[in-house]
């Protein structure tokens, strides 16, 4: 098999190009390369997104959100898993 390293820039390119516009769920359970930039790309470009996996295991995610991103998440009523 092969493996691909996922990154913020990869998700930014995919979402901006519209390739993930119909995405409802994505399970990224562990990645040392992802940050809230990826979450923001998914929130802004994937209007049906409900779940993104375990954010606590994304290597570049802090448990503290910037206020505007937190408001966006609450408004969108995402089912985010924090490893509970």
């Amino acid at each position: 098999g092969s493996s691909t390293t996922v990154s913020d820039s990869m998700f930014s390119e995919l979402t901006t190009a519209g390739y993930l516009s119909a995405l409802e769920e994505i399970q990224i359970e562990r990645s040392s390369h992802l940050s809230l930039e990826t979450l923001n790309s998914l929130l802004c470009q994937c209007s049906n997104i409900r779940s993104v996996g375990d954010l606590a295991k994304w290597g570049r995610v802090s448990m503290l959100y910037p206020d505007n991103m937190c408001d966006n998440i609450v408004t969108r009523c995402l089912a985010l898993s924090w490893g509970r």
Side-chain angles (χ1 to χ4, degrees), residues 13-56:
E13 290 172 22
L14 289 171
T15 56
T16 300
Y19 294 121
L20 303 177
S21 62
L23 189 67
E24 293 181 4
E25 291 188 27
I26 186 167
Q27 295 304 311
I28 304 168
E29 297 304 325
R30 184 174 303 234
S31 175
S32 60
H33 303 287
L34 295 181
S35 71
L36 291 179
E37 183 180 331
T38 291
L39 180 61
N40 192 54
S41 293
L42 292 168
L43 289 175
C44 292
Q45 303 294 330
C46 306
S47 61
N48 297 320
I49 194 78
R50 294 187 319 258
S51 177
V52 295
D54 189 352
L55 294 177

